[in-house]
Amino acid sequence: MRLKYSTTSPAQNEFDSLPRLPLLLRRENMEIEAVGLVDSGATVNVLPYELGLGLGETWDDRRAIIQLAGNLSSQPAIPVSAIAQIGEFPPVELLFAWVKRSNIPLILGQTNFFLEFDVCFYRSKMEFEVKPKSP
């Protein structure tokens, strides 16, 4: 599956384009459509607060045990899993650090998005390719 880099707003120019991947997340009987930022520099997948709520999760500070790094280092996070459907690929379970912060992107990082999918970036062409991991 090959996709174009994209922006989050028509007001942005092509230099603001990033590898964004549409996906469907399911948890129990809840289902939401989302767009994830494919980030090879991110250690973990990150789920924004509103998307966790949309999947039926309830925030509990006692479960906030994950320590994040970088821009989110001050944010407590809860481990959450969801089934992800990406295009026509077989569904996979993705593990997320759910943060109690809105207005951040859904981040697809090393654990465990890049363990489930092979990704090639073609920045000069403003494209990227995603396929299920090789057996």
Side-chain angles (χ1 to χ4, degrees):
M1 162 186 253
R2 200 158 177 159
L3 300 116
K4 292 277 190 192
Y5 278 44
S6 62
T7 60
T8 55
S9 162
Q12 294 175 308
N13 66 40
E14 76 174 296
F15 297 109
D16 296 319
S17 294
L18 293 170
R20 292 183 174 88
L21 181 66
L23 63 153
L24 185 67
L25 294 175
R26 284 197 261 327
R27 185 163 165 69
E28 297 174 15
N29 61 348
M30 307 299 278
E31 185 175 277
I32 55 173
E33 292 183 12
V35 176
L37 174 62
V38 180
D39 186 351
S40 63
T43 306
V44 298
N45 299 329
V46 177
L47 187 67
Y49 185 66
E50 63 275 3
L51 292 183
L53 294 176
L55 289 171
E57 276 293 320
T58 302
W59 187 267
D60 179 352
D61 283 323
R62 294 172 295 176
R63 290 181 46 220
I65 58 170
I66 299 173
Q67 180 62 48
L68 299 175
N71 293 341
L72 297 172
S73 63
S74 64
Q75 301 295 313
I78 293 174
V80 170
S81 68
I83 301 300
Q85 179 70 53
I86 297 170
E88 299 298 318
F89 300 146
V92 297
E93 182 178 26
L94 292 181
L95 308 172
F96 292 92
W98 180 35
V99 295
K100 194 174 184 180
R101 183 168 164 192
S102 297
N103 299 323
I104 61 167
L106 172 83
I107 297 173
L108 301 169
Q110 295 294 324
T111 304
N112 70 323
F113 180 78
F114 280 86
L115 295 173
E116 296 293 334
F117 294 94
D118 293 327
V119 180
C120 291
F121 297 97
Y122 306 100
R123 177 64 177 163
S124 64
K125 296 179 182 180
M126 305 288 282
E127 297 177 348
F128 67 106
E129 186 176 13
V130 176
K131 58 185 177 180
K133 67 182 176 185
S134 303

